[in-house]
């Protein structure tokens, strides 16, 4: 069966450190993968999109990698800040489908 | 643009009642998505419209759920009759093209008692 797996346990890190979140998938052939941020009581907010032929994408303090062999994406936040505390969702578009499927998300808590 | 607008923000109803959720997508976006979020199942796609036409409704749980998009600026999701297990946050999202950079509304928190 198809699965998108993100660590369900919260990730707690100290301010200034790099946060690394993992997204693994099985039985998908994604055309691209996206990362979203969700704050309590709000809808998800788009952060980054990485395509199947791209290895890495950066945007300010954010970096995403995409390994289609390992079927894994890593999401990094460098120099983390308490304001980065939120739930981060990965989502992918399967080549056989035109809509996004989301993982369950990982909650990040950055301690001051 | 004010973003994707959903109403109501909160809805509390009794089992068996009809519930209608509303969404106004971003002007110019040609794709609209309805998702449902629960703690147990996460964010699930219910239905996807492209140019006002339903493309993928495989996520609609059962016949009690229906969705319409009569024009490019308005969509509804209706549940009739509602059941307690329908309690969730319902999100509407829109995009330009197929699922690239979805912009979400603030959601409707539905509680069915």
């Amino acid at each position: 069966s198809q699965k998108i797996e993100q660590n369900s346990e919260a990730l707690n890190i100290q301010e200034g450190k790099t946060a690394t979140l993992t997204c693994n998938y099985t039985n998908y052939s994604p055309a691209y993968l996206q990362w979203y941020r969700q704050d309590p009581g709000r809808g998800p907010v788009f952060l980054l999109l990485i395509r199947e032929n791209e290895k890495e994408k950066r945007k300010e303090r954010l970096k995403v990698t995409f390994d289609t062999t390992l079927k894994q994406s890593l999401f990094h936040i460098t120099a983390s800040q308490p304001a980065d505390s939120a739930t981060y969702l990965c989502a992918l578009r399967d080549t056989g489908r035109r809509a996004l499927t989301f993982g369950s998300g990982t909650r990040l808590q950055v301690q001051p | 643009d004010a973003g994707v607008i959903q109403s109501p923000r909160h809805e509390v109803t009794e089992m068996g009642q009809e519930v209608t959720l509303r969404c106004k997508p971003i002007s110019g976006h040609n794709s609209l998505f309805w998702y449902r979020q629960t703690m147990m199942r996460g964010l699930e796609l219910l239905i996807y419209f492209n140019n006002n036409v339903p493309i993928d409704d495989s996520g609609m749980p059962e016949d009690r759920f229906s969705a319409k998009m009569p024009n490019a600026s308005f969509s509804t999701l209706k549940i009739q009759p509602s059941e307690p297990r329908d309690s969730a946050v319902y999100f509407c999202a829109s995009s330009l093209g197929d699922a690239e950079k979805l912009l979400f509304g603030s959601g409707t928190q539905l509680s069915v008692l």
Side-chain angles (χ1 to χ4, degrees):
Chain A
S1 62
Q2 291 182 317
K3 283 185 189 176
I4 302 173
E5 293 180 311
Q6 294 186 257
N7 194 341
S8 58
E9 291 184 17
L11 177 63
N12 291 288
I13 64 168
Q14 284 296 120
E15 183 176 6
K17 300 292 186 184
T18 296
T20 299
L21 286 72
T22 304
C23 176
N24 295 298
Y25 60 90
T26 53
N27 293 323
Y28 282 99
S29 297
Y32 52 72
L33 188 145
Q34 301 181 22
W35 284 88
Y36 288 76
R37 169 185 173 138
Q38 187 173 22
D39 292 285
R42 310 292 292 271
V45 174
F46 171 82
L47 296 174
L48 280 167
L49 179 154
I50 186 165
R51 299 187 186 280
E52 59 178 332
N53 60 348
E54 297 176 314
K55 296 290 185 187
E56 184 179 296
K57 205 80 168 280
R58 290 176 186 261
K59 178 183 174 183
E60 298 171 354
R61 294 184 295 112
L62 309 181
K63 184 178 87 170
V64 172
T65 63
F66 192 13
D67 189 326
T68 55
T69 301
L70 290 178
K71 298 187 185 300
Q72 181 181 79
S73 175
L74 299 179
F75 177 79
H76 306 272
I77 305 176
T78 58
S80 60
Q81 304 165 1
D84 296 326
S85 299
T87 296
Y88 291 86
L89 302 158
C90 72
L92 56 82
R93 180 190 159 189
D94 203 2
T95 49
R97 212 170 178 209
R98 292 167 69 179
L100 284 179
T101 304
F102 283 81
S104 54
T106 298
R107 190 163 63 88
L108 173 66
Q109 189 71 37
V110 181
Q111 307 290 344
Chain B
D1 201 320
V4 176
I5 300 173
Q6 291 188 246
S7 64
R9 191 76 171 89
H10 302 276
E11 176 81 38
V12 181
T13 190
E14 292 188 348
M15 183 173 66
Q17 296 298 305
E18 177 179 297
V19 174
T20 299
L21 311 181
R22 297 172 176 79
C23 175
K24 177 178 166 52
I26 289 175
S27 177
H29 280 189
N30 61 347
S31 295
L32 183 140
F33 307 81
W34 282 100
Y35 283 87
R36 175 172 70 176
Q37 188 172 41
T38 61
M39 288 293 292
M40 288 294 295
R41 301 175 67 90
L43 201 57
E44 301 175 283
L45 176 71
L46 298 176
I47 188 168
Y48 156 50
F49 291 88
N50 184 251
N51 293 323
N52 312 338
V53 176
I55 302 298
D56 183 352
D57 66 354
S58 59
M60 296 287 264
E62 48 198 271
D63 292 346
R64 298 185 297 107
F65 286 68
S66 62
K68 293 183 180 178
M69 192 164 186
N71 57 62
S73 58
F74 184 65
S75 176
T76 59
L77 178 68
K78 186 177 292 186
I79 308 172
Q80 165 64 15
S82 58
E83 296 182 3
R85 60 191 167 121
D86 302 330
S87 298
V89 181
Y90 290 80
F91 287 105
C92 175
S94 69
S95 72
L96 191 60
D98 290 340
E100 292 216 9
K101 189 181 178 182
L102 266 63
L103 292 168
F104 281 81
S106 297
T108 295
Q109 173 77 59
L110 174 65
S111 298
V112 183
L113 307 177

